[in-house]
Structures are given as structure tokens and as C-alpha cells.
Amino acid sequence: MKRREPTFLDQEARLAFWMLFPTFTVVLAFVIFPVIWNLWLSFKPVSLGDLRGISLFKFNLTLDNFRKVFGDQEFGPVLLTTLIYTIAGSALSMLLGLMAALLVHGEFPGRGLMRGLFISPYIAPVVAVTFTWSFILDPQLGVLNWFAVDKGLLAQPIPFLSQRWWDLDLLGVKVRMPLALTSVIVFEGWRYFPFAFLFILARLQAIPDALYQAASVDGAGPFRRFYHITLPQLSTVLSTLFLFRFIWTFNKFDDIFLLTRGQAGTKVLTIRVYDYAFGEFNIGASSAVAMVLFGVLSIFLIIYFRWIVKEE
Amino acid sequence: MSQEYLERTIIRILRVVGLTFFIIIVAFPFYWMIVSSFKSLGEILLKPANLGLDIRKIDFHAYYEVLFEHGFLQYISNSVYVSIVTVILSVTLATVGGYAVTRLRFRGRELMSYSILLIYMFPAIVLVIPLYVMFSRMGLRDSINLLILVYLAQTLPVALYMLRSYFQTLPPEMEHAGLIDGCSRLGVIWRIVIPLSAPALASVALYTFMIAWNEFLFAFMFLDTPEKFTLSRGVVQLAESVHLSKQLVMAASVMVTIPILVLFLFFERRLVRGLTAGAMKG
């Protein structure tokens, strides 16, 4: 039988294959494969010392890693810390982003400069901003503490990033505040509000003026116009933003690691991944925690693609 | 006084207060980073509450020490190398790949476009341990070029997605004309698509540069030899080795931050477009 001549479409498909081949290979090797490899490791007893041995490929699968991870006394508190950090951090960054967007929206001199300034926490390298904040908040050398002590606002410096609890006396009511965790959440709000700011600002500028004019004619003042027009118009972008911030904050490692190393009540799941691997030399348990993170991420991605993408 | 007028006045006051608040909380850390880097150790230890900088006492010693005694000259050149190679590879592969996904017909094209987005959501902390295990075993881990490949995998999906969105807005007629005149597909990309896409390519290049330049986790986990450190890795090393000499850490931080902020100020609009189009992971 005669071989079929390659058609024009076949040629196009072959060309497309070669044009996408490098991208595909890199992503396969450095994203897809590690995820599968991680799944494999999470079912194996592997320690950091085993990396050179042959046992990495043996079929000695076990659930021990997951038993260890879920059975750990710390697991509950770490999960709780993670959730508090994620929800409060996402909410704070969005609230600040919304405020900043409302402030910059509208015409005034220096607006472009302001917009540029507001984005800088987000684009500056994470090591630089975490070390600068650690220095500012330092109890021995930090400007914030000593400035407040100098001006008589504080009796003594507060170790913002190294003390777990802070006992407050609010008008006779004693409150115990998780100090280091709060500091880390505030940092999260500071560093990531520009992300919300950019998206909310873009959405604000897309709201048609006619809506506001109509409301004005009907006698609605600026506050009512905000409540009845601006907020509803922003609802989609706000919910999408919250989902994205939630996912990324849940998986955030760098910031907490550089600020506190997970000490003083700031240990989140991502820090646990690192601690199991390099503190306890237990690669298996570390991979198991990573799988937990990955599972949670998958759930949120499904939610995202099911509801939000479909609605749009 | 009408309700409208009252509310407008309140809003004007709130705006001034709010803007002041934001300017202070955003600018102060950067201000403090720069000011502290010009202080001496004595100044840092004795006057921690001194907000200003005495012009007569400006001290460049921290920069000298960090550059020549703590190896930062090497780290700067490593970071420049890593970032520029990542940008060149990422922009090239994303242009070719983005074009294929936009203009060529093949099975699985839709699936491809969706999975690009999905892959970009995978968090680094989930990838870093398996990659660490794999490359430790192969004895390849402590390498700058490997780091470039990791950064490429981190940036390519977004870069490709951003370029795809841009290519879709280009009219295909010019490309058809090129093809009829005997250009190959690659010739069409080189002669027609790239010149038309300069702004989008610049956005992608900036975005990729920023990711590669700022990256911390992989550099921290993969690199062992100080001669191979990137700037971010070097700053962490420095911060771990000096306890009181904060002026050194601040000088090093200024060196990592300034290039990215300067680039950003020059190309603000472009970068903002990149950020909102692809949305940066972080």
C-alpha cells in the first residue's frame, strides 16, 4: 500500500509539536515530574541520608509518612496557624488594596507616581524587604521600638517577631495576642496589597460613569453611590482575588521563613515541609506534607474552574 | 450645607489622611534600608532611633565591605547572568510556543492552553523537595545553569500565556501575505510577529527578569558553593553571618533592590500590564 502523503494539516501539527517541544520538556522535567516524584516519595521511608543509595526506587511503599504527619501533636496547631495566617493575611492585603485603589482612583497631580510607589513592596526582592522589616522591628536595634520608647509611647521594646504571646490590657479586659503571628500577617498585608490594588484599580476604572451620573440625578450621595454601585461592581474581582490570595498565601514559604523561621508560633505547613526534610532529615514525611498542600490546592483549583471560570 | 457637600468634604479629608498613611508605610522601609546602609556600625548601635542621616557622616564603608570582603561582586555577576539568560531563553521559547498555540492547528490545542494556566499555579514549595532529591542524587544540584532551567520552568507558562493573549489580537492577514510570498513559519515570526509584538515582548522580558532576579527558595536550596550564589542567596548568607552589623545587610539589600526598582520606574506601565495580564505568582 502506498504511504499517505502528509497533508498540510499534518505538517502544521508536526511544526507545532516542535515549536512547543522545548517548553513542554522543561515543564515536564521541572513541574510535572517533581509532583509525581513527590507522590512516590511520600509513600516511602526515605531519609536525607538515603539520597545516594539505591533504595529510592524500591517498591517498599507504606503509609507511615502520612501516619506520622497526621499523628504529630503539632499537626493540629500548625494547621490552625496556617489557616489564621492565610485568611487574615489574604483579607488584610485585600482590604489595604481596596483602600489604596479607592485613594488613587480619580484625577489628581502625582497620581502616576503614587501608583508606582504603591506597587514597590510587591516587586522588591523578598530577601530585601524581609530583612529590612526584621531590622525595623528588632527589639535591640530596631527603629520602631526605639523611636516609640524615645517618645514615651512604649515603656520597653517589643520583640515583634520573636515573642509568641503579648498580654494586653484593654480597659481592664486582659487579651492574649499572638504577637509574632500578627506581625507576620501585617507583613503579608503590606507586601501583597499591591496585587489586590492593581486588579481593583483596573476594575474601578472600567465602571461606566453613566451609572454614577444616574445615581447622582436620583439624589444618591458619594457614600451611597459607593455602597450601591462601586461595591457590587467589584464583587467578582474581590471574590476572585480572595481565592487567588488564599491559594498563594496558603503555599507561601519565603516570607515566614525569612522573618521568623517558623519560630514563636508562626509555624505553617510550608515551614513544616522544610523542617521535616532539613530538621529531622525525613524526606518521606516532608513529601507527605507537600502532598497535603497539593491536595488543598487542587480542591481550590477545582472550585475556581468549576464556578468562577464558568460564570465568566 | 447639603449632604452631597458634607460627604465630599469628608472624602477629601479621608483621601489626604489615607494617602499620607500609605505613603509612609510603603516608603519608610525603603527609606530606612537606604539610610541605614550609609551609617556606621557605631551610629546603628548608639542611635537606633535617629530617623535622619547626617550628610557629613555618610559612610560608604558598608558597600565596600559587602562588595569586596563578602563576595558580592561575584554574586552580582551571577545574578545578572542567571536573570539575563533566563530572559533570553524564556522570551524565545515563549514566542515560538505562543505562536504555535495561537496560529497553528493541532489536536490538544485547547487542552494545552488550559494546562498552561494550571501549571502556573503549582507552588514552589511542593516542587523544591523532589527536585532537591532528584538533583542531589544525580550530583547536579549545586549549579547555576540548573537554576536557570528551574526559573525557565517557573516563568515559561506565564510568558507563553501572556504572549498568546497578545498574538490573538494581531491580524493574521499580514502573516498570510508573508507565507504566500514564500516565508517559512519561523521567517514569519521573525519578520512580522516579533516587530509587531515589541511591547508585549518587553512586558514578558521584564516579568521574567523580575522573577529570576528576586527568586530566593530554589537558590537557597540548590546552591552550596559561595562562588555560585545569586544575590538573594548571598544576602541570606550575609544576614546569617553578621548579627549586629545591620548596615551591611541593608547595603546588600539596597544592591538587590535598586536594579529592580529602577527598571520598574522606567517601564512602569509595561510592567503593570505584564502583572495584570499574567498575574504574578506570589
Side-chain angles (χ1 to χ4, degrees):
Chain A
M1 221 165 86
K2 215 177 128 192
R3 246 180 61 206
R4 193 169 64 97
E5 284 292 309
T7 64
F8 182 65
L9 275 180
D10 284 343
Q11 282 177 6
E12 221 175 83
R14 188 164 311 143
L15 186 65
F17 172 78
W18 286 111
M19 286 166 91
L20 284 163
F21 182 73
T23 303
F24 195 67
T25 314
V26 171
V27 169
L28 196 70
F30 292 92
V31 183
I32 312 281
F33 180 69
V35 172
I36 298 166
W37 182 232
N38 190 72
L39 183 69
W40 170 256
L41 289 173
S42 69
F43 288 107
K44 284 173 62 67
V46 189
S47 83
L48 201 57
D50 292 339
L51 298 189
R52 293 255 169 210
I54 196 70
S55 67
L56 278 181
F57 301 108
K58 252 190 3 208
F59 266 93
N60 50 346
L61 303 184
T62 153
L63 279 174
D64 283 358
N65 293 323
F66 288 95
R67 258 183 230 122
K68 181 179 166 60
V69 166
F70 289 118
D72 195 323
Q73 284 185 9
E74 264 201 336
F75 185 78
V78 167
L79 186 65
L80 182 67
T81 310
T82 310
L83 287 174
I84 294 172
Y85 168 68
T86 306
I87 293 171
S90 310
L92 185 63
S93 73
M94 285 181 59
L95 186 69
L96 288 173
L98 177 63
M99 281 162 60
L102 290 170
L103 288 169
V104 172
H105 185 52
E107 295 297 322
F108 61 89
R111 180 169 169 272
L113 192 72
M114 214 67 95
R115 195 176 72 157
L117 177 70
F118 284 7
I119 304 167
S120 41
Y122 189 56
I123 57 156
V126 65
V127 290
V129 286
T130 47
F131 287 140
T132 305
W133 273 109
S134 299
F135 178 36
I136 291 172
L137 300 175
D138 193 274
Q140 270 106 43
L141 304 168
V143 60
L144 187 67
N145 272 312
W146 286 107
F147 189 73
V149 170
D150 257 21
K151 297 276 173 281
L153 300 168
L154 279 179
Q156 61 190 55
I158 301 168
F160 286 101
L161 291 167
S162 49
Q163 186 173 307
R164 191 182 197 111
W165 295 106
W166 190 32
D167 292 308
L168 278 170
D169 199 350
L170 290 175
L171 310 163
V173 185
K174 293 229 185 295
V175 185
R176 273 200 119 183
M177 192 174 103
L179 183 61
L181 183 60
T182 308
S183 308
V184 169
I185 289 168
V186 171
F187 176 83
E188 177 78 16
W190 179 82
R191 180 155 158 80
Y192 297 99
F193 87 82
F195 181 81
F197 164 73
L198 283 178
F199 280 86
I200 295 171
L201 190 62
R203 187 70 196 89
L204 277 178
Q205 280 158 353
I207 300 176
D209 264 345
L211 282 178
Y212 289 110
Q213 281 155 10
S216 263
V217 172
D218 289 342
F223 288 129
R224 290 187 58 193
R225 291 203 295 264
F226 173 74
Y227 188 77
H228 289 288
I229 299 172
T230 314
L231 273 186
Q233 288 277 333
L234 290 178
S235 67
T236 316
V237 75
L238 288 178
S239 53
T240 313
L241 272 173
F242 188 79
L243 192 88
F244 273 82
R245 284 267 36 106
F246 189 96
I247 291 172
W248 284 327
T249 314
F250 195 82
N251 291 300
K252 193 130 273 305
F253 171 82
D254 300 7
D255 308 57
I256 292 192
F257 182 76
L258 290 166
L259 285 171
T260 67
R261 300 254 158 168
Q263 300 301 305
T266 58
K267 190 163 286 175
V268 291
L269 282 170
T270 52
I271 300 279
R272 211 72 192 96
V273 173
Y274 180 86
D275 281 356
Y276 271 129
F278 298 99
E280 300 180 20
F281 309 120
N282 190 341
I283 295 286
S286 168
S287 305
V289 181
M291 282 323 293
V292 174
L293 285 171
F294 190 70
V296 174
L297 171 73
S298 309
I299 294 170
F300 276 94
L301 282 182
I302 291 168
I303 294 177
Y304 177 69
F305 281 104
R306 271 280 158 82
W307 280 295
I308 299 190
V309 173
K310 264 207 185 129
E311 267 178 37
E312 285 163 4
Chain B
M1 199 161 68
S2 77
Q3 179 81 12
E4 173 90 17
Y5 180 79
L6 179 71
E7 288 186 7
R8 274 179 186 282
T9 314
I10 294 175
I11 286 170
R12 198 160 298 150
I13 294 168
L14 282 179
R15 173 163 275 172
V16 172
V17 174
L19 283 174
T20 317
F21 167 77
F22 270 98
I23 290 169
I24 291 172
I25 64 156
V26 170
F28 182 75
F30 294 103
Y31 167 80
W32 193 242
M33 186 197 288
I34 294 167
V35 162
S36 306
S37 72
F38 290 116
K39 289 184 177 175
S40 63
L41 178 59
E43 194 93 349
I44 299 254
L45 294 177
L46 296 174
K47 296 182 209 154
N50 178 15
L51 287 181
L53 177 67
D54 192 338
I55 297 291
R56 285 158 303 170
K57 281 192 192 160
I58 283 191
D59 190 336
F60 290 96
H61 202 75
Y63 286 93
Y64 178 83
E65 228 177 286
V66 163
L67 279 176
F68 300 106
E69 286 163 27
H70 290 276
F72 270 67
L73 222 47
Q74 178 74 47
Y75 305 159
I76 290 176
S77 81
N78 291 346
S79 266
V80 169
Y81 170 74
V82 167
S83 314
I84 289 182
V85 176
T86 307
V87 168
I88 293 172
L89 289 176
S90 185
V91 171
T92 313
L93 295 181
T95 307
V96 175
Y99 182 83
V101 175
T102 320
R103 290 283 192 259
L104 301 182
R105 283 154 295 175
F106 59 94
R107 248 186 306 159
R109 190 166 80 157
E110 287 301 299
L111 185 75
M112 192 90 193
S113 314
Y114 270 111
S115 36
I116 292 170
L117 260 184
L118 248 154
I119 277 162
Y120 147 74
M121 304 292 297
F122 285 23
I125 188 71
V126 173
L127 306 177
V128 74
I129 300 286
L131 285 172
Y132 180 92
V133 170
M134 186 162 83
F135 289 114
S136 294
R137 196 190 156 80
M138 294 159 78
L140 297 173
R141 181 168 49 78
D142 185 18
S143 148
I144 284 193
N145 291 323
L146 180 75
L147 204 59
I148 291 176
L149 288 177
V150 175
Y151 293 170
L152 200 55
Q154 296 277 304
T155 52
L156 256 178
V158 187
L160 204 151
Y161 187 77
M162 280 162 75
L163 286 181
R164 186 189 80 121
S165 320
Y166 189 82
F167 292 159
Q168 282 170 342
T169 66
L170 295 178
E173 287 79 15
M174 280 175 80
E175 294 164 36
H176 291 325
L179 285 172
I180 290 164
D181 285 347
C183 255
S184 67
R185 282 284 178 182
L186 288 180
V188 166
I189 294 181
W190 183 250
R191 297 219 170 84
I192 300 172
V193 176
I194 289 183
L196 284 176
S197 311
L201 292 172
S203 296
V204 172
L206 269 172
Y207 165 83
T208 312
F209 184 88
M210 185 168 74
I211 300 283
W213 182 269
N214 287 356
E215 205 281 335
F216 155 73
L217 179 60
F218 287 104
F220 179 72
M221 300 282 259
F222 282 17
L223 303 176
D224 297 331
T225 320
E227 285 75 43
K228 298 176 184 169
F229 282 1
T230 58
L231 266 172
S232 285
R233 180 68 185 87
V235 179
V236 176
Q237 174 86 355
L238 181 73
E240 280 169 351
S241 63
V242 299
H243 290 288
L244 290 174
S245 305
K246 299 287 188 190
Q247 81 281 7
L248 298 183
V249 182
M250 290 303 106
S253 299
V254 170
M255 286 184 218
V256 217
T257 311
I258 291 299
I260 215 78
L261 283 190
V262 167
L263 262 184
F264 173 67
L265 283 181
F266 270 109
F267 302 102
E268 189 226 330
R269 241 152 249 248
R270 199 124 290 163
L271 192 65
V272 165
R273 198 170 305 138
L275 287 173
T276 42
M280 179 173 149
K281 180 152 67 173

